[in-house]
């Protein structure tokens, strides 16, 4: 019996493709939940130390949602085509209400069971999405580090010695691990951007009020934004289009203003960027600036003084008082689950006066006017998502100071009514990810995602094999196409070697896939057509689904030793021009094989045998 596949590593298109090919929504979601549980939960069913999750949906909770989804589909006039997120799992930061789940804000004693979904969760469920669970965060969304939670510090996906970033740490890492296609975070001071940069994913912070904050435990209610994490900018844009609906019940909600889809060409960069001793981060940003120029963008040096001053206001006066107004009285209790750093920060909100609040607001308005003038000379700002990449030990040694440093390029954004998009760039020289953020005036989200398409295309092509692991980093990325795919019989040959699933993607349009005869378990053969074959009118190449896995060099060597003839390892070309190691087949073996290229991938072919 063939094991049911999972959706680990899938983006929105991958989920849609699976359902078009006949995947059963219940089987697929329950198998995906099982795979997540195996990685994240202990033998008691509780999240392990470093987990992204506070509460993973139970099988009963998933089944209940699947039943609701099937009812939605049955009631649709167009056989479910108005359900753009049909059966797609997502994660919800645990300061956002989702019915049938507790909301804790990362404080067990604060937990309550909401009667209804938050407005944004309701919109996503009505579009067909499935809540896979609630994710960990810096308590009461106060922090940019991902360590201020009684449920444990969330591990960085690339290196657990480094922080994952906060406060939306769990939501970011759940996406980075491929456990869900997208997730919701919140962003008041950068919580939807910093963890995206530290985990090599996309983080979209929309205009304040664009996505309703009804049903969100407030941090600073006047500034709070629900943010979106995704594997690519196109997915983030699609979620934004669904989620950015006006909510009359939210006093801070705003009707979306349609801005002409302006093209971003000129990018403002800081004249004097602070790095707080992280020279590797500085070098990574300098390289990103070079890449931006190579991609055809113009860089203009800008005096960031008003931006930095505005950023410093966020943890002074009225905005700390806002945090106290939300949860200050609760934090006065001497409860074991309250994080002492969070408690001390928010307790400072009672020190100011109404006069201080007005003075701070006057200064904010003056600074915003100066910032608006900056955008008369540039289309967007181009900054490092964070100026340094601290370790867990760095944060333990100076929790408030390090957190403050991480907000250098994020704290001012909501105060200035700007929107922002954090994007993966290249890998740093130490193998950690580096992220850039583009920042634009309110309601320019689509201009940012259009920029992202240009940026990501250029970086992928420029970085080709390097994007998948530097040649000198003692690791190898291999593309698998058949029995080694997630959930397939030979996948254990990868997982037992601690291989990491990076992504699912497609080959270039130059290959054919064959089902080889007399192989146990069944295996495919991937054959590249030569250039002469491709010139023949009746011979067509195919884009075929592959998964990319990273192994260290020793594990890769032992992995290759297990590959039987007529299979071997060669170089594959992906749809975006990247080159990776991958399975190939000796051409002689296809004489007795069946051409299955039209299935688009091995899973679809195997499914056809069982239908």
């Amino acid at each position: 019996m063939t094991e049911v596949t999972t959706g680990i590593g899938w983006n929105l298109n991958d989920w849609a493709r699976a359902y078009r090919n006949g995947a059963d929504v219940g089987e697929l979601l329950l198998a995906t939940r099982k795979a997540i549980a195996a990685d994240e939960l202990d033998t008691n069913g509780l999240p392990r130390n470093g987990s992204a999750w506070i509460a993973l949906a139970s099988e009963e909770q998933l089944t209940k949602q699947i039943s609701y989804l099937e009812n939605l589909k049955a009631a649709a006039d167009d056989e479910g085509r108005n359900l753009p997120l049909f059966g797609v799992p997502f994660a919800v930061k645990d300061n956002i209400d989702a019915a049938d789940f507790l909301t804790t804000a990362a404080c067990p004693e604060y937990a309550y069971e909401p009667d209804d979904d938050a407005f944004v969760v309701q919109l996503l469920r009505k579009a067909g999405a499935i809540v896979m669970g609630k994710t960990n965060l810096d308590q009461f969304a106060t922090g940019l580090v991902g360590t201020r939670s009684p449920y444990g510090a969330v591990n960085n996906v690339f290196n657990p010695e480094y922080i994952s970033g906060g406060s939306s740490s769990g939501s970011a890492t759940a996406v980075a691990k491929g456990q869900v296609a997208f997730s919701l975070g919140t962003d008041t001071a950068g919580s939807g951007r910093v963890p995206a940069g530290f985990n090599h994913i996309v983080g979209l912070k929309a205009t304040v009020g664009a996505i309703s904050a009804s049903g969100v435990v407030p941090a600073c209610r006047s500034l709070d934004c629900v943010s979106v994490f995704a594997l690519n900018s196109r997915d983030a844009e699609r979620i934004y289009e669904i989620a950015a609906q006006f909510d009359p019940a939210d006093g801070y909600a705003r009707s979306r203003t349609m801005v002409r889809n302006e093209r971003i060409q000129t990018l403002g960069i800081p004249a004097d960027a602070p790095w707080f001793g992280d020279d590797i981060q500085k070098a990574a940003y300098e390289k990103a600036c070079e890449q931006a120029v190579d991609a055809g963008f113009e860089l203009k040096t800008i005096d960031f003084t008003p931006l930095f001053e505005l950023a410093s206001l966020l943890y002074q006066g009225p905005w700390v008082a806002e945090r106290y107004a939300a949860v200050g009285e609760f934090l006065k209790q001497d409860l074991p689950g309250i994080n002492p750093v969070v408690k001390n920060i928010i307790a400072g909100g009672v020190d100011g006066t109404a006069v201080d609040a007005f003075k701070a607001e006057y200064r904010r308005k003056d600074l915003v006017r100066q910032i608006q003038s900056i955008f008369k000379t540039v289309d967007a700002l181009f900054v490092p998502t964070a100026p340094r990449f601290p370790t867990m030990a760095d944060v333990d040694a100076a929790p408030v100071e390090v957190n403050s440093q991480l907000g250098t390029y994020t704290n001012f954004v909501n105060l200035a009514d700007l929107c922002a998009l954090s994007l993966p760039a290249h890998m740093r020289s130490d193998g950690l990810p580096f992220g850039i953020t583009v920042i634009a005036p309110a309601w320019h989200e689509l201009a940012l995602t259009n920029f992202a398409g240009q940026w990501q295309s250029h970086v992928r092509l420029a970085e080709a094999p390097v994007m998948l692991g530097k040649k000198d980093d003692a690791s190898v990325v291999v593309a698998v196409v058949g029995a080694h795919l997630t959930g397939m019989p030979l996948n254990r040959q990868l997982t037992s070697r601690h291989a990491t699933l990076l992504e699912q993607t497609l080959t270039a349009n130059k290959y054919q896939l064959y089902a080889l005869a007399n192989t146990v378990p069944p295996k495919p053969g991937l054959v590249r057509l030569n250039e002469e074959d491709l010139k023949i009118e009746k011979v067509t190449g195919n884009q075929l689904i592959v998964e990319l896995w990273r192994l260290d060099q020793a594990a890769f060597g032992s992995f290759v030793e297990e590959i039987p003839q007529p299979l071997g390892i060669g170089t594959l070309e992906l749809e975006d021009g990247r080159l990776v190691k991958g399975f190939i087949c000796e051409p002689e073996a296809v004489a007795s094989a069946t051409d299955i290229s039209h299935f688009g991938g091995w899973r679809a072919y195997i499914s056809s045998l069982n239908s």
Side-chain angles (χ1 to χ4, degrees), residues 187-272:
D187 189 310
T188 305
S191 297
R193 291 161 278 158
V194 170
F198 287 167
N199 292 281
H200 215 49
I201 59 171
V202 171
L204 173 63
K205 189 222 74 73
T207 301
V208 176
I211 300 175
S212 170
S214 289
V216 176
V217 177
C220 296
R221 190 177 167 215
S222 65
L223 301 176
D224 292 342
C225 297
V226 173
S227 62
V228 177
F229 296 104
L231 292 167
N232 58 66
S233 59
R234 174 59 181 144
D235 283 3
E237 179 183 318
R238 290 164 69 183
I239 300 305
Y240 168 76
E241 292 288 353
I242 294 167
Q245 308 297 324
F246 179 71
D247 175 11
D250 179 2
Y252 283 93
R254 297 154 74 182
S255 295
R256 183 175 167 189
T257 301
M258 296 303 295
V259 174
R260 184 169 58 86
N261 197 10
E262 298 175 356
R263 182 168 180 261
I264 292 176
Q265 183 60 43
T266 304
L267 301 169
I269 61 173
D272 187 17

Side-chain angles (χ1 to χ4, degrees), residues 275-286:
W275 300 106
F276 306 105
D278 194 335
D279 291 336
I280 297 177
Q281 193 81 339
K282 177 183 179 182
Y285 178 61
E286 291 171 348

Side-chain angles (χ1 to χ4, degrees), residues 251-503:
Y252 283 93
R254 297 154 74 182
S255 295
R256 183 175 167 189
T257 301
M258 296 303 295
V259 174
R260 184 169 58 86
N261 197 10
E262 298 175 356
R263 182 168 180 261
I264 292 176
Q265 183 60 43
T266 304
L267 301 169
I269 61 173
D272 187 17
W275 300 106
F276 306 105
D278 194 335
D279 291 336
I280 297 177
Q281 193 81 339
K282 177 183 179 182
Y285 178 61
E286 291 171 348
K287 180 176 179 178
C289 289
E290 293 172 0
Q291 290 175 320
V293 172
D294 290 343
F297 298 101
E298 177 186 354
L299 301 187
K300 185 173 182 178
T301 302
I302 298 296
D303 181 4
F304 268 49
T305 300
L307 295 158
F308 291 153
E309 183 180 344
L310 184 60
S312 70
L313 288 180
L314 186 62
Y315 280 94
Q316 300 174 19
W319 296 284
V320 180
E322 260 201 291
R323 292 181 185 269
Y324 190 91
V327 295
E329 291 302 311
F330 172 83
L331 292 177
K332 288 170 67 175
Q333 303 176 76
D334 187 21
L335 299 173
I338 294 175
N339 181 275
V341 176
V342 171
K343 181 177 181 178
N344 289 339
I345 291 169
I346 295 178
V350 298
D351 295 337
T353 66
V355 173
D356 295 330
F358 275 106
K359 286 181 178 179
E361 175 60 10
Y362 297 155
R363 185 56 184 155
R364 184 188 76 84
K365 293 292 283 187
D366 289 341
L367 291 169
V368 168
R369 185 58 56 87
Q370 295 178 45
I371 292 167
Q372 288 170 343
S373 68
I374 291 174
F375 285 99
K376 294 178 181 178
T377 64
V378 298
D379 302 319
L381 305 179
F382 183 84
V383 299
T385 297
R388 63 175 297 192
F389 202 148
T391 63
M392 293 281 194
D394 292 333
V395 173
D396 287 343
V400 175
E401 180 184 5
V402 172
N403 191 92
S404 177
Q405 293 168 351
L406 294 179
T408 300
Y409 296 102
T410 60
N411 284 356
F412 60 79
V413 174
N414 287 357
L415 287 167
D417 197 18
L418 307 173
C419 59
L421 183 65
S422 178
L423 297 168
H426 48 275
M427 306 304 288
R428 302 188 344 160
S429 61
D430 59 358
L432 293 171
F434 175 73
I436 57 98
T437 294
V438 279
I439 303 170
W443 307 111
H444 282 68
E445 287 88 345
L446 298 186
L448 294 180
T449 55
N450 283 342
F451 168 88
Q454 296 174 265
W455 167 257
Q456 290 172 330
S457 175
H458 175 77
V459 169
R460 282 176 181 154
L461 293 175
E463 293 292 305
V466 181
M467 279 289 289
L468 300 179
K470 304 186 306 304
K471 293 178 181 178
D472 60 350
D473 75 349
S475 71
V476 179
V477 172
V478 59
V480 300
V481 70
H484 290 88
L485 294 167
T486 302
M488 292 293 178
L490 297 183
N491 184 248
R492 65 181 183 277
Q493 293 182 355
L494 291 166
T495 57
S496 66
R497 291 174 168 84
H498 306 291
T500 302
L501 175 62
L502 300 179
E503 63 179 284

Side-chain angles (χ1 to χ4, degrees), residues 61-242:
Q61 286 172 311
L62 270 187
T63 301
K64 182 177 178 180
Q65 293 185 78
I66 292 165
S67 177
Y68 168 75
L69 178 60
E70 295 291 4
N71 289 336
L72 279 181
K73 183 177 180 180
D77 294 332
D78 56 1
E79 298 181 349
R81 284 188 292 273
N82 66 340
L83 300 173
L85 300 178
F86 179 85
V88 177
F90 72 108
V92 179
K93 184 176 179 179
D94 202 18
N95 61 340
I96 304 173
D97 289 346
D100 208 28
F101 293 87
L102 293 177
T103 300
T104 72
C107 182
E109 295 90 347
Y110 185 82
Y112 64 90
E113 185 171 356
D115 294 329
D116 300 299
D117 288 330
F119 184 79
V120 61
V121 174
Q122 184 180 79
L123 290 174
L124 294 167
R125 290 218 228 212
K126 286 183 177 178
I130 299 287
V131 177
M132 189 57 79
K134 307 295 291 294
T135 49
N136 205 352
L137 64 147
D138 281 327
Q139 192 171 81
F140 295 112
T142 300
L144 291 173
V145 289
T147 65
R148 299 173 177 176
S149 171
Y151 297 96
V154 176
N155 285 342
N156 181 277
V157 170
F158 287 78
N159 187 333
E161 294 183 6
Y162 286 78
I163 66 169
S164 58
S167 61
S168 309
S169 51
S171 289
T173 58
V175 170
K177 294 174 184 177
Q179 294 171 343
V180 289
F182 71 96
S183 65
L184 297 181
T186 61
D187 189 310
T188 305
S191 297
R193 291 161 278 158
V194 170
F198 287 167
N199 292 281
H200 215 49
I201 59 171
V202 171
L204 173 63
K205 189 222 74 73
T207 301
V208 176
I211 300 175
S212 170
S214 289
V216 176
V217 177
C220 296
R221 190 177 167 215
S222 65
L223 301 176
D224 292 342
C225 297
V226 173
S227 62
V228 177
F229 296 104
L231 292 167
N232 58 66
S233 59
R234 174 59 181 144
D235 283 3
E237 179 183 318
R238 290 164 69 183
I239 300 305
Y240 168 76
E241 292 288 353
I242 294 167

